[in-house]
Each structure stands twice: as C-alpha cells, then as structure tokens.
Amino acid sequence: MADTRQLIIVGSGAAGLTAAIYAARANLAPLLFEGHQPGGQLTITTEVENYPGFAEAIMGPDLMARMRAQAARFGTEIVTAEVESVNFKVHPFEVCAEGKRYVAETVIVATGAKAKLLGLKSEGRLMGHGVSACATCDGYFFRNQRVAVVGGGDTAMEEATFLTKFASHVQVLHRRDELRASKIMQERARANPKISFQWNVEVEEVLGSEEGKVTGVKLLDVKSGKSSTLDVDGLFIGIGHQPNTKVFEGQLELTPNGYIRTYTGTRTSIPGVFAAGDVQDSVYRQAVTAAGSGCMAALDAERYLEELKHPSHTLPPAEGARAR
C-alpha cells in the first residue's frame, strides 16, 4: 500500500506552485506533479511586466523558476511526471503517474488551460516575439503599432477591443464572412474606429525578420484561393482556450466548456478535491489571479484536513452551493 499523503497537487503553474508554498509552510508536506510542461504557460512567455513585486520586467521562465525554488525550499516534494489517471470516487483519493499509484487525503487540481493556436511552425517560432494569445498580458508592448487578431468569436472581439487602447490599428482576420461573437461584442468591435475586418481569410504563415520579430502575415483567401500579405507588428490568436481537464472527466463536475466547476471558493463537486487557476477560471486567466486561487485552494485544503479530525463537524457540501 502506498503511503497516504495529506495533499497532492496536480500542476506546476502559478496556481499549483503557490498552493505548494502555502501548503508546505502549513506542514502539509505536499507532493506536486509538474506535468508535461513544468511551470505552465508562463514558461513560454517572454517579459512579464504585470506581476506584482517586479519593478523591472521578469522573464516568464525566470518567474516560474523562482516560484518552484520557493516551493521546494519549504519542503514540497516535486515529481516531474504527468498524472495519467485519478480516482476521486474513493477516499483517500488515488492519483496515478507513470504507472505508480499515490494516495492522499486531499487533492488540488491546478492543471491550467492552454490557448488554442493555429498550429503553424512560424507561429511557434515567433511566440513571445510578436505572436501572443493574451492581449491583457502583451498589449502594452504594441503601443502605436499595427496588430492583427485571428478569430471571430467573443475571445477575438474582446482581444481586439482591448488592443485598441495601445495599437494604432487592429485588423481582425476571420475565415468566415460573419462573426460568431455575441451581438453586444460584435457591436462594440464594429463601432470602434481603430478596428477593421478582413473576411474569408486564413493565416498561412507568420512572417518575421532576421531579428525574430513579427513583420506581417501571409493570408489565404478561402474563396478565391489567392494569397496576400498583410504588414503588422504583432499577431494575437483569439480562438479560445482549452482547459486541461481530460483526465478529470467523469471524476469532477465540469462546466459546458470543460472547466472544473468550483463552489464557495475552490471546492469542487467532490469534498476534499479543490481546483485553482485557469483550469477553473474561464474569465480572468492571469498569473496573479491563478496565484491567488492557489493560495485559496491551499487554505481550503488545510481547513478540510482539520475538519476531518473532528467527525462531529459537518463539512459544507459542494452540491447546491453557489457556483463561482
């Protein structure tokens, strides 16, 4: 039989590592699984200017390395492995990684969400060097520059509208001849004089300079089959996000768009299992909000463990509580 841990954390982004820091300092001796992308989405970003505490920008990988070192300093056991399956229908809970079974009294899920991308080699090469999937994170770097946004849904309209605060012009690129966004989001974008639309086009290639900066995009007209080039300084991908919840399907209640549903804080549909960060947040998706919810999850897990020691105390049910 595997030793029963007090807490297992799945995920090593800002939420998971913050949860580990708080849990380790509370003597919960957390075990953290880093997953296939240690450090999460911030490891593929460049300069981070909006995380509190850094007067000068810090590189995303450096920020996550500092968080990891801080978690390890307080005693977090970190395993570089991806969780393959879980069983939350038994208690203690079971977590399997690389064929090995682990059990714990509580689990924090912090597996994050990834931006849906176009899948182009040039997109990957220039990610963080003019290509971005987060206007809130990177819009500030494109002051008085021309940028393009790919997509036709609410995400794209929100990104385009936000970017007009900085960019001189925003060109929305959509592969259809009408938007999928909600009416109110469409109206806001259409009414903005700094936004224009190019219909029935797909991005074939992101063009870059020898210095590794975006200079434009090569477009394909899906109706005529003709190619053209659009000069822009930045390209934002606004086609949505995919939460990393596949392994939790059938184990936790999910929202219609695949995020873990949380109640009264970070509690999930299973008492003793908590969720933090972008895996349960389809709205804010920021490093600082992820870190904040990681703190909340650790405190919720600590309180849950204390409640287990007092059987007469009734645990607050997740079902029926107000969803966040």
Side-chain angles (χ1 to χ4, degrees):
M1 286 289 292
D3 293 336
T4 301
R5 309 268 182 162
Q6 292 189 84
L7 172 64
I8 285 177
I9 300 170
V10 185
S12 59
L17 289 173
T18 302
I21 292 167
Y22 273 78
R25 292 187 74 252
N27 293 322
L28 300 186
L31 171 66
L32 181 144
F33 290 98
E34 287 193 300
H36 69 280
Q37 187 180 4
Q41 290 290 298
L42 278 177
T43 59
I44 61 172
T45 64
T46 51
E47 292 184 336
V48 178
E49 290 190 327
N50 57 0
Y51 197 87
F54 298 93
E56 303 297 330
I58 182 171
M59 300 297 284
D62 293 339
L63 177 60
M64 299 319 297
R66 292 191 186 192
M67 286 191 187
R68 188 183 191 277
Q70 189 175 3
R73 173 194 166 201
F74 291 116
T76 301
E77 181 180 350
I78 300 175
V79 177
T80 305
E82 187 167 359
V83 169
E84 301 157 344
S85 64
V86 299
N87 186 356
F88 294 156
K89 298 178 181 178
V90 298
H91 191 268
F93 305 117
E94 298 178 354
V95 174
C96 294
E98 295 188 344
K100 188 175 179 181
R101 174 176 165 271
Y102 302 82
V103 294
E105 296 285 355
T106 59
V107 174
I108 293 175
V109 178
T111 48
K114 54 182 177 290
K116 296 178 182 178
L117 301 176
L118 303 176
L120 303 173
K121 287 185 178 179
S122 54
E123 172 192 43
R125 186 178 71 253
L126 292 166
M127 181 62 68
H129 298 277
V131 176
S132 173
C134 179
T136 304
C137 309
D138 300 324
Y140 185 79
F141 299 115
F142 294 88
R143 295 183 298 277
N144 301 316
Q145 298 183 58
R146 294 180 63 87
V147 300
V149 175
V150 180
D154 280 353
T155 298
M157 296 307 102
E158 184 176 353
E159 298 279 278
T161 301
F162 180 84
L163 285 167
T164 59
K165 297 180 179 181
F166 309 101
S168 61
H169 186 77
V170 180
Q171 183 89 8
V172 175
L173 309 174
H174 189 38
R175 61 184 177 180
R176 299 186 176 90
D177 56 6
E178 60 181 1
L179 299 172
R180 295 179 292 104
S182 60
K183 184 178 180 181
I184 188 169
M185 293 301 293
Q186 289 192 42
E187 291 175 347
R188 288 176 184 172
R190 291 180 188 275
N192 195 310
K194 295 176 73 173
I195 297 176
S196 61
F197 297 85
Q198 193 161 347
W199 309 104
N200 302 309
V201 292
E202 291 183 349
V203 177
E204 286 188 299
E205 184 182 359
V206 186
L207 306 175
S209 65
E210 293 182 0
E211 293 78 24
K213 294 184 179 181
V214 170
T215 59
V217 290
K218 182 180 178 182
L219 302 174
L220 172 68
D221 188 306
V222 297
K223 288 193 172 182
S224 69
K226 295 181 179 180
S227 294
S228 62
T229 298
L230 175 68
D231 294 334
V232 291
D233 302 297
L235 178 68
F236 288 79
I237 314 301
I239 56 178
H241 291 76
Q242 181 65 46
N244 299 316
T245 53
K246 186 173 180 58
V247 72
F248 306 107
E249 292 177 358
Q251 297 288 332
L252 296 173
E253 182 184 355
L254 305 179
T255 65
N257 53 350
Y259 290 82
I260 295 176
R261 191 181 297 280
T262 51
Y263 303 86
T264 58
T266 65
R267 291 177 174 83
T268 69
S269 55
I270 301 295
V273 179
F274 307 91
D278 290 6
V279 75
Q280 53 84 56
D281 174 17
S282 63
V283 179
Y284 301 104
R285 297 192 298 264
Q286 298 298 302
V288 68
T289 56
S293 67
C295 164
M296 292 165 60
L299 295 176
D300 286 343
E302 182 183 1
R303 290 164 183 162
Y304 179 87
L305 289 167
E306 284 298 315
E307 289 164 345
L308 286 182
K309 298 176 183 178
H310 306 284
S312 61
H313 187 89
T314 303
L315 293 172
E319 296 295 341
R322 182 176 61 86
R324 59 163 295 169

